Amino acid sequence: MWLKPEEMLLKNALKLWLTEKNHEYFILQRRRGYGEGGGGLTGLLVGTLDTVFDSTSKVAPYRILHQIPESQVYWSIACGASSEEINKHWEWLEQNVMPILSIFDSGKDITSFIQGKVRGLIAEESQSTSIKEEDDPDKFREALLKFVKWFGLPEQEKLVTYYSCSYWSGRVPCQGWLYLSANFLSFYSFFLGKEVKIIISWDEVSRLTKTTNVILSESIHICSHGEDYYFSMFMHLNETFLLMEQLADCAVKRLFDKETFEMDLLLSDHLQITKRLLENRARNEYFTALFRLPRGENLDDILDCFLWIPFCHAHAFGKMFISNNYICFSSQDANHCHVIIPMREVTGMETQGSLGKHISFRTKCKITFRFTEIKDSDGLVQELKEKLKCGTRGSTQVILGKEEESCLRSAQEDNAIFGHSDPVLSFTSEEHRTLLKESNKTVNTEALMRVFHPQEAETLDSKMLKEKMKVQSWNIHFVEYGHGVCMFRTKKTQDLVIKGIPEALRGELWLLFSGANNDMAAYPGYYNELVERSMGTCTLATDEIERDLHRSLPEHPAFQSDTGISALRRVLTAYAFRNPKIGYCQAMNILTSVLLLYAKEEEAFWLLVAVCERMLPDYFNRRIIGALVDQAVFEEFIQSYLPQLTDHMTDMTFFSSVSLSWFLTIYISVLPIESAVNVVDCFFYDGIKAILQLGLAILDYNVDSLLVCRDDAEAVTILNKFFDNVTNKDSPLPPMMHHPPVGCDIQQPPTKVDITELILDSYEKYGEIRSMEVESMRRRTRLYVIQTLEDTTKQNVLRVVSQEVMFSPKNLEGLFELFKREHFLSCYWIPQSPALKHHDSSLPYLEQYQIDSAQYCRLFKHLSPWSHSANANSLALWSFRLLDENSDNLINFKEFASVLDVMYNGSFTDKLKLLFKLHIPPAFTEDEGTNPTASKQPQLFDEAVICDQVNGSNKGKIDIQSYLKQWHNELVRKEESIKALPRINQSQFVQFSKTLYNLFHSDPNEEALYRAITTVTSLLLRMEEVGRMLNSPSSPNRSTSVTSPDSQSGGDVQEIKTVDKDKDAPLESHTDTGWTFAFEQILASLLNEPVVVTFFEKPFDVKVKIEQAKTVQLRAKYQPKACD
């Protein structure tokens, strides 16, 4: 590696370096203790010194120096990890630099010329990498050299950053370097001859936390495969931990949660991940979560400033967040205040002074925001002017964001799969206007509650009076704090939400607090187009929607009529069409029903988008990972705030089972509707924090009853009784009919609990929980949840496979880990790897992990006891074809383990039968034999046969009857093959003999094995010839010449040919001369050769192979191609 020229003195360095090559202006040196003559005490001491002082020499023991004659000053210009690498640099100097140095007049000119050349080489080398993006490219290049040398990972592995730290092995710290790359966490230490090397794959991390104990003041704890790792003494521990979280989250999403990963366009090319990109991603996630903004919003700047708060008549210190479409503010004082200013709402901007320290914004809401004392505001005014121009132009355009484009691309892919060829949302301007007119006639423009429960002005009962007082309180709040998207959001706003939003304002404020109004404003007409396009479509999602329509709040009159049912159908179908990766999930109908009661139809759609894609991420996918994550977070809070419950409950899964419906439906399915809407109020304002707080308050309210429960069923009954007795005494809605809970004592009326008081109690007791704390716990817990799901998959696969193989449980688990790792390794380093498409968590356990032929061939070479054979590649390919019965170029672990089980644990007959099958179709094809008629047996639904029939005489029409007949014949042939395998023909038998010779190579009894095979081959040929003569007595002119292999030479078996002496015979006569053998004949002949039987019955230790495979698997060169 070329180095940035640095001046150095060699006065005391000659003791540690040896000169190997010398030139008038250059010197090539080798570090003592490395290379020839290294080792011993010298190598130990020098290696330890290099590591302790972080010397590049530890990993690059060769270097080239530039020298000036009669000068004590040298310049380091190159280093290398091996003699070959450094000699390439020396040869380049000999060819391109040394010959022209004589033209210079002075040594100073020579030094300047050489330095310029080396810097040019470094710049050229950095152009093709991301090194130039690093803060210190030279140090990063040096660290990259160490990373490649120490860990031997493929060159495609992308190093992100590195840190100096200590790894704790027991109570002993090992000082070294931690390297964070795109797919691995790696650590290296070398001290006093003890080398510590750790490589942990991010997708195998189950726990990642910051910990503190007596020995370690603060450290990072990582758990992988049940082993704990502690790293401490970081200069920037929080920065390191954040990057670890980002990398682990990225790997988990890419490998286990593709639907979410496809939406994260920042990480679409994981080979280009950098530290800066990850830091920006973390900032964007924090920004969008804090202000409930669309996930595609990118944060540009964060500035400290003051904001004038008119209702307090004071300035509040905080941070200004600036993105392409929003200016936001969050205060950092006790009176917490949030402000969101969309660029589309800004009508004017004023500045005081030329430095841009004071900026005011006028908005459509008639509010003026005055920001003062803005720090680092250079260029801010011009930047904001440009953003405001873009925001004004884009406010009236329908421009799909990254997320929407991704969803629509997915819809197009699904339409192609299901046969829908119509483009998604591709309209001309005239069609667009026509569709909007038609859909506007269809879509409801009023909330269902206004239609089915109109509030009459003359009604003056106590509940209506309270409702009017609530409305008046909110109106006063709007006057003081602003009305609309730009309003000041303070503690007073939260207090009003806790008391319950008035029925008349509920839909508007839900839209505001959830951020759904921003989506709706950005994409006007989008919902109407979706409705028009999705109407009449028939998919699995629409079928499920139709089944659940009449189960959605059936007690409410709005959903006892066609008006409510039709609106619900349109919203759910439109969302399924927008996001086919989610489609439709149970519980979405209940949630959408409540949204339609208080919001217009289009508003309800955007509220559903906000819930499913931002506020409750991954709740409504196939494995409801998001809900499982929040349940695990909920359990942690229970252990912290209600330890008496966790001590009483022997199984914490009880809380997960009862809380699943709470989270999925935001308590709508367990509470009366008039009470549940108050919970939804808090959820849209505070997010998942409100749901977790309320859950804790519910358990706390019933803690005494739960502590005396004898089983889970009794605890569930107590909670059900509690929910049925929750009321909303201030609700103006007529109460819904509720059935008394099972086991309820009618004689003693239960105690009623007011929902407002319950929510207020949850905020008073657990309001200290912070939203950002919950988000951090979500990220941390997500790793554990996904690894738990993966462990469940593994245990189920092992349970099924263990019943059919003879491997020990430990060895079978080791094989599965290698199989799973191979499934993912190509995903690490091959962009757009097809292996990612193979993994589908919705499939049965056995089918979730599958490998293709290239991956299988690599594993075969690592694990098969026959991998030493000269034709190991062919054996791997043939065995894969044998296993791939459905011809989809994929096999699962059960199939993989079955073939290895025969190789390791099968009897002589089983192993011979496997070899026999590998040399007949479908494993052995006619292209690999010498006889053109070697493979004529049909394959089940062969693609080539189908294409021929489609493109041939049938002219595109497929004869179904012929396929049914072919299928029947194939099934019959498969059943018959159990009793008797098909006969092997000439070319197949020749290859079979070659394979045996290759397997016997290098065996101690190699010569005896060769002689035995020669004897068996000659015997079989003579037997076949005698049989042919007996069956064809009228053909005396035919003879067979056989050349047996030379057993002494150990060469391959020579080709055995049948020669027809009659040159004028028709083609049929050539076919008649071919000979075949039955498996029983080969088996009987080989059983008479004890040396062959002993060879195949010789035991092999699969455990040794597994350990060797684990060592070399990561070092393999992965290319997107199959084995030959």
Side-chain angles (χ1 to χ4, degrees):
M1 182 179 72
W2 296 105
L3 301 176
K4 181 180 177 181
E6 290 186 0
E7 187 175 320
M8 60 192 307
L9 295 175
L10 296 187
K11 183 177 181 180
N12 297 319
L14 295 177
K15 298 178 181 179
L16 301 177
W17 293 89
L18 297 174
T19 300
E20 295 201 336
K21 291 185 180 181
N22 204 350
H23 180 264
E24 185 180 2
Y25 296 104
F26 298 99
I27 182 173
L28 189 155
Q29 295 183 325
R30 173 174 55 85
R31 189 76 163 173
R32 287 183 182 272
Y34 297 92
E36 297 180 2
L41 182 60
T42 303
L44 175 62
L45 292 177
V46 173
T48 300
L49 287 172
D50 289 340
T51 301
V52 171
F53 294 105
D54 185 33
S55 172
T56 308
S57 307
K58 173 64 181 73
V59 70
Y62 297 89
R63 70 181 182 182
I64 296 177
L65 305 177
H66 163 57
Q67 63 177 354
I68 299 296
E70 300 179 359
S71 173
Q72 295 295 324
V73 178
Y74 289 76
W75 298 84
S76 62
I77 60 173
C79 67
S82 63
S83 176
E84 294 78 9
E85 180 184 357
I86 202 67
N87 279 319
K88 287 182 181 179
H89 288 42
W90 184 267
E91 291 172 3
W92 188 91
L93 291 172
E94 287 180 331
Q95 297 173 6
N96 299 279
V97 177
M98 295 180 185
I100 61 176
L101 294 182
S102 59
I103 66 175
F104 293 97
D105 297 330
S106 66
K108 185 176 181 181
D109 293 339
I110 292 176
T111 300
S112 299
F113 171 74
I114 293 173
Q115 290 178 352
K117 273 287 187 182
V118 173
R119 288 194 177 96
L121 291 171
I122 294 173
E124 183 179 349
E125 178 184 301
S126 300
Q127 286 298 322
S128 58
T129 66
S130 59
I131 293 178
K132 59 183 179 180
E133 299 178 7
E134 301 298 328
D135 296 332
D136 192 336
D138 294 327
K139 287 188 177 180
F140 191 85
R141 289 175 73 250
E142 182 180 325
L144 181 60
L145 177 67
K146 296 179 182 179
F147 175 71
V148 172
K149 174 65 178 178
W150 283 336
F151 304 105
L153 297 171
E155 59 184 9
Q156 301 97 321
E157 180 63 15
K158 178 69 174 62
L159 177 63
V160 176
T161 190
Y162 58 98
Y163 298 96
S164 173
C165 70
S166 291
Y167 162 68
W168 289 80
S169 178
R171 296 189 177 184
V172 180
C174 301
Q175 184 67 30
W177 287 90
L178 183 73
Y179 296 86
L180 306 181
S181 60
N183 301 293
F184 299 95
L185 177 150
S186 309
F187 176 82
Y188 185 85
S189 174
F190 185 87
F191 187 73
L192 293 178
K194 181 181 179 181
E195 184 180 55
V196 178
K197 187 184 297 185
I198 299 171
I199 302 178
I200 303 172
S201 176
W202 290 119
D203 60 86
E204 295 174 350
V205 174
S206 58
R207 191 170 296 277
L208 176 62
T209 57
K210 288 188 288 187
T211 60
T212 303
N213 56 37
V214 178
I215 299 177
L216 307 178
S217 58
E218 195 170 18
S219 64
I220 296 177
H221 171 215
I222 296 173
C223 181
S224 175
H225 290 297
E227 296 187 19
D228 295 313
Y229 303 88
Y230 292 90
F231 300 94
S232 65
M233 298 179 69
F234 290 96
M235 290 291 293
H236 307 285
L237 187 136
N238 290 330
E239 174 190 301
T240 308
F241 182 76
L242 180 61
L243 286 174
M244 286 183 176
E245 273 193 333
Q246 292 283 315
L247 287 167
D249 182 62
C250 174
V252 165
K253 286 181 178 178
R254 182 173 76 251
L255 302 179
F256 301 122
D257 193 6
K258 295 178 293 183
E259 297 169 5
T260 304
F261 180 76
E262 289 170 358
M263 306 294 291
D264 198 341
L265 300 183
L266 277 176
L267 303 176
S268 56
D269 186 1
H270 59 277
L271 297 179
Q272 301 301 321
I273 291 177
T274 62
K275 177 182 176 182
R276 189 171 303 168
L277 184 146
L278 290 173
E279 289 174 343
N280 290 339
R281 179 175 180 262
R283 293 199 325 159
N284 289 338
E285 288 179 348
Y286 173 81
F287 172 58
T288 55
L290 182 63
F291 297 104
R292 305 280 172 75
L293 299 177
R295 289 196 298 183
E297 197 65 27
N298 292 321
L299 179 62
D300 293 333
D301 215 343
I302 303 178
L303 303 171
D304 292 334
C305 66
F306 288 88
L307 175 64
W308 173 253
I309 309 297
F311 49 85
C312 293
H313 302 287
H315 288 89
F317 176 74
K319 293 185 180 295
M320 174 194 288
F321 299 79
I322 303 173
S323 68
N324 286 335
N325 301 300
Y326 298 91
I327 302 168
C328 303
F329 176 83
S330 177
S331 67
Q332 296 181 336
D333 54 12
N335 298 320
H336 203 59
C337 173
H338 274 193
V339 172
I340 301 173
I341 311 172
M343 298 288 186
R344 64 178 185 273
E345 294 289 324
V346 177
T347 59
M349 182 179 75
E350 297 178 357
T351 60
Q352 298 179 13
S354 59
L355 300 178
K357 296 287 186 180
H358 308 278
I359 302 177
S360 300
F361 298 98
R362 297 190 305 274
T363 64
K364 297 176 183 178
C365 303
K366 308 300 181 184
I367 304 176
T368 299
F369 296 92
R370 296 183 177 89
F371 294 91
T372 60
E373 300 297 328
I374 302 174
K375 295 184 179 179
D376 303 322
S377 60
D378 297 341
L380 178 61
V381 174
Q382 185 61 34
E383 178 186 350
L384 288 173
K385 286 181 179 179
E386 293 177 359
K387 290 180 182 295
L388 288 172
K389 288 180 182 178
C390 296
T392 304
R393 288 197 302 267
S395 62
T396 59
Q397 297 175 355
V398 181
I399 303 174
L400 295 182
K402 294 178 180 179
E403 187 172 320
E404 282 67 24
E405 288 177 353
S406 177
C407 288
L408 294 181
R409 281 197 302 269
S410 301
Q412 289 174 331
E413 293 172 1
D414 285 12
N415 287 342
I417 294 173
F418 289 107
H420 304 301
S421 58
D422 295 337
V424 181
L425 296 181
S426 60
F427 305 104
T428 63
S429 58
E430 186 62 33
E431 290 174 335
H432 179 79
R433 285 192 293 269
T434 303
L435 287 176
L436 285 181
K437 290 179 182 179
E438 293 179 356
S439 58
N440 282 335
K441 297 177 183 177
T442 306
V443 174
N444 288 345
T445 57
E446 288 291 338
L448 295 180
M449 192 64 75
R450 294 180 180 273
V451 178
F452 290 91
H453 291 289
Q455 297 183 13
E456 299 177 2
E458 60 273 10
T459 306
L460 294 177
D461 60 10
S462 59
K463 290 186 176 181
M464 285 303 301
L465 287 174
K466 288 184 179 180
E467 188 72 7
K468 290 182 182 295
M469 291 174 63
K470 280 186 180 180
V471 173
Q472 187 63 26
S473 298
W474 275 97
N475 288 333
I476 296 172
H477 185 80
F478 292 149
V479 171
E480 291 186 25
Y481 297 86
H483 191 180
V485 66
C486 297
M487 70 181 295
F488 288 89
R489 307 176 195 201
T490 66
K491 180 66 169 58
K492 188 174 181 181
T493 311
Q494 185 186 65
D495 293 339
L496 289 174
V497 171
I498 292 173
K499 295 175 181 178
I501 299 175
E503 300 283 321
L505 298 175
R506 186 161 270 142
E508 174 191 346
L509 293 179
W510 282 359
L511 208 67
L512 174 66
F513 295 144
S514 66
N517 58 340
N518 294 317
D519 293 323
M520 192 168 69
Y523 312 118
Y526 175 76
Y527 173 68
N528 292 331
E529 293 179 2
L530 272 182
V531 169
E532 189 64 29
R533 179 60 66 183
S534 62
M535 285 175 62
T537 58
C538 183
T539 63
L540 179 62
T542 57
D543 292 342
E544 293 176 347
I545 289 170
E546 289 297 326
R547 284 199 299 268
D548 287 347
L549 283 177
H550 295 280
R551 304 174 188 170
S552 309
L553 300 185
E555 69 278 4
H556 198 284
F559 298 100
Q560 296 170 1
S561 69
D562 184 64
T563 302
I565 293 296
S566 298
L568 181 60
R569 178 188 291 112
R570 286 190 294 270
V571 173
L572 292 175
T573 304
Y575 185 79
F577 196 77
R578 161 194 162 84
N579 194 344
K581 296 298 183 183
I582 292 178
Y584 170 76
C585 178
Q586 285 189 341
M588 289 173 66
N589 60 319
I590 299 175
L591 173 61
T592 307
S593 300
V594 174
L595 298 179
L596 283 167
L597 289 178
Y598 294 97
K600 300 174 184 178
E601 192 172 316
E602 182 179 7
E603 295 173 345
F605 168 80
W606 286 113
L607 284 169
L608 183 63
V609 170
V611 172
C612 295
E613 297 175 9
R614 289 204 311 273
M615 302 186 72
L616 297 179
D618 299 337
Y619 261 60
F620 302 99
N621 59 17
R622 290 164 179 163
R623 296 196 289 179
I624 59 171
I625 291 177
L628 297 177
V629 168
D630 284 345
Q631 285 178 310
V633 172
F634 185 50
E635 289 180 6
E636 285 193 39
F637 281 129
I638 294 174
Q639 293 174 350
S640 299
Y641 291 100
L642 300 171
Q644 66 273 32
L645 268 182
T646 57
D647 294 340
H648 176 71
M649 295 291 182
T650 57
D651 187 4
M652 286 293 290
T653 57
F654 164 77
F655 300 109
S656 298
S657 60
V658 298
S659 63
L660 181 61
S661 61
W662 303 358
F663 295 160
L664 277 175
T665 64
I666 319 177
Y667 293 92
I668 296 171
S669 63
V670 294
L671 287 173
I673 184 62
E674 61 271 15
S675 301
V677 291
N678 282 36
V679 180
V680 179
D681 294 342
C682 298
F683 168 72
F684 279 128
Y685 188 82
D686 274 324
I688 189 61
K689 168 183 181 295
I691 304 299
L692 296 169
Q693 288 178 179
L694 183 60
L696 292 172
I698 290 170
L699 294 178
D700 184 47
Y701 188 92
N702 296 278
V703 64
D704 294 335
S705 301
L706 292 173
L707 288 176
V708 297
C709 288
R710 290 164 293 185
D711 53 35
D712 291 351
E714 188 176 348
V716 170
T717 302
I718 290 173
L719 291 174
N720 287 339
K721 289 180 181 179
F722 171 80
F723 286 126
D724 283 324
N725 292 307
V726 175
T727 63
N728 188 350
K729 61 183 180 182
D730 296 333
S731 174
L733 298 179
M736 300 295 173
M737 293 296 296
H738 296 289
H739 298 288
V742 178
C744 179
D745 188 357
I746 306 297
Q747 304 294 332
Q748 298 179 356
T751 304
K752 297 294 183 181
V753 180
D754 182 60
I755 187 64
T756 304
E757 295 176 0
L758 185 64
I759 292 175
L760 183 60
D761 185 57
S762 72
Y763 273 87
E764 289 177 350
K765 290 184 177 179
Y766 312 108
E768 62 187 26
I769 297 175
R770 294 287 177 261
S771 296
M772 291 301 105
E773 176 189 0
V774 174
E775 292 299 324
S776 176
M777 293 175 68
R778 274 177 159 180
R779 288 192 299 270
R780 183 175 71 247
T781 309
R782 184 185 182 84
L783 299 174
Y784 171 75
V785 168
I786 289 184
Q787 291 301 335
T788 301
L789 293 174
E790 290 302 309
D791 288 342
T792 301
T793 299
K794 180 178 75 173
Q795 295 304 323
N796 282 281
V797 170
L798 295 180
R799 177 175 49 81
V800 172
V801 176
S802 63
Q803 300 174 2
E804 302 188 17
V805 298
M806 298 175 63
F807 289 118
S808 67
K810 187 174 182 180
N811 287 338
L812 188 62
E813 183 177 0
L815 289 174
F816 180 82
E817 294 294 341
L818 288 170
F819 184 89
K820 178 181 173 182
R821 171 64 65 87
E822 190 65 38
H823 171 88
F824 283 138
L825 279 180
S826 61
C827 306
Y828 293 163
W829 302 303
I830 300 177
Q832 307 300 324
S833 170
L836 277 176
K837 300 178 181 179
H838 304 164
H839 182 59
D840 188 348
S841 58
S842 66
L843 293 174
Y845 290 120
L846 278 174
E847 305 301 323
Q848 288 189 22
Y849 292 107
Q850 300 182 86
I851 58 175
D852 59 22
S853 58
Q855 296 165 322
Y856 173 80
C857 289
R858 287 193 288 266
L859 282 180
F860 185 92
K861 294 176 184 177
H862 295 326
L863 294 172
S864 172
W866 299 345
S867 59
H868 67 278
S869 174
N871 66 337
N873 287 344
S874 298
L875 288 176
L877 186 59
W878 297 339
S879 58
F880 181 84
R881 291 176 185 165
L882 182 66
L883 296 173
D884 185 21
E885 295 182 358
N886 59 357
S887 301
D888 63 349
N889 197 38
L890 295 172
I891 63 169
N892 59 36
F893 178 70
K894 180 180 178 182
E895 296 163 333
F896 172 76
S898 66
V899 71
L900 284 181
D901 185 57
V902 174
M903 295 179 187
Y904 280 98
N905 304 316
S907 63
F908 170 72
T909 303
D910 294 331
K911 295 177 181 178
L912 192 64
K913 184 185 294 185
L914 174 60
L915 283 172
F916 186 88
K917 288 181 178 180
L918 295 183
H919 293 83
I920 59 175
F924 186 85
T925 63
E926 64 180 57
D927 295 337
E928 294 156 319
T930 57
N931 188 353
T933 62
S935 178
K936 286 190 176 182
Q937 302 189 33
Q939 294 190 21
L940 187 58
F941 294 100
D942 194 306
E943 291 183 358
V945 176
I946 294 175
C947 293
D948 290 342
Q949 293 195 13
V950 170
N951 300 323
S953 59
N954 290 333
K955 297 181 179 180
K957 296 182 179 179
I958 300 177
D959 187 357
I960 300 299
Q961 293 298 327
S962 66
Y963 284 114
L964 292 175
K965 184 177 180 180
Q966 178 184 347
W967 190 13
H968 178 266
N969 293 337
E970 188 69 18
L971 291 176
V972 171
R973 185 183 66 80
K974 191 172 182 179
E975 291 177 358
E976 292 174 350
S977 68
I978 298 174
K979 302 178 182 178
L981 293 168
R983 297 174 70 85
I984 192 170
N985 65 25
Q986 176 179 329
S987 63
Q988 295 163 359
F989 181 73
V990 170
Q991 187 59 55
F992 177 80
S993 302
K994 288 181 179 180
T995 299
L996 290 178
Y997 273 81
N998 289 327
L999 288 176
F1000 299 155
H1001 184 62
S1002 300
D1003 189 87
N1005 297 320
E1006 181 178 355
E1007 293 186 6
L1009 288 166
Y1010 283 166
R1011 285 195 296 270
I1013 294 302
T1014 302
T1015 303
V1016 169
T1017 302
S1018 302
L1019 176 62
L1020 286 172
L1021 291 173
R1022 287 196 295 270
M1023 290 172 57
E1024 181 64 16
E1025 183 63 21
V1026 171
R1028 284 170 46 78
M1029 293 175 63
L1030 292 175
N1031 292 330
S1032 303
S1034 60
S1035 304
N1037 4 341
R1038 296 176 184 160
S1039 63
T1040 304
S1041 61
V1042 179
T1043 304
S1044 299
D1046 185 358
S1047 62
Q1048 300 300 326
S1049 64
D1052 291 336
V1053 94
Q1054 299 181 19
E1055 188 171 340
I1056 307 169
K1057 298 181 179 179
T1058 303
V1059 182
D1060 193 339
K1061 296 182 179 180
D1062 189 355
K1063 303 298 183 182
D1064 299 325
L1067 182 61
E1068 287 78 2
S1069 64
H1070 288 269
T1071 306
D1072 292 342
T1073 60
W1075 40 261
T1076 61
F1077 298 120
F1079 173 71
E1080 289 85 346
Q1081 292 176 291
I1082 299 175
L1083 176 63
S1085 301
L1086 289 176
L1087 282 173
N1088 290 322
E1089 300 293 337
V1091 65
V1092 176
V1093 176
T1094 302
F1095 173 84
F1096 279 104
E1097 290 186 344
K1098 181 171 56 177
F1100 292 93
D1101 189 0
V1102 69
K1103 183 179 180 181
V1104 174
K1105 284 281 189 179
I1106 291 173
E1107 294 302 322
Q1108 292 174 350
K1110 289 180 179 179
T1111 303
V1112 302
Q1113 193 177 29
L1114 286 178
R1115 299 176 182 269
K1117 301 297 182 183
Y1118 285 83
Q1119 301 295 335
K1121 63 181 181 180
C1123 59
D1124 298 327

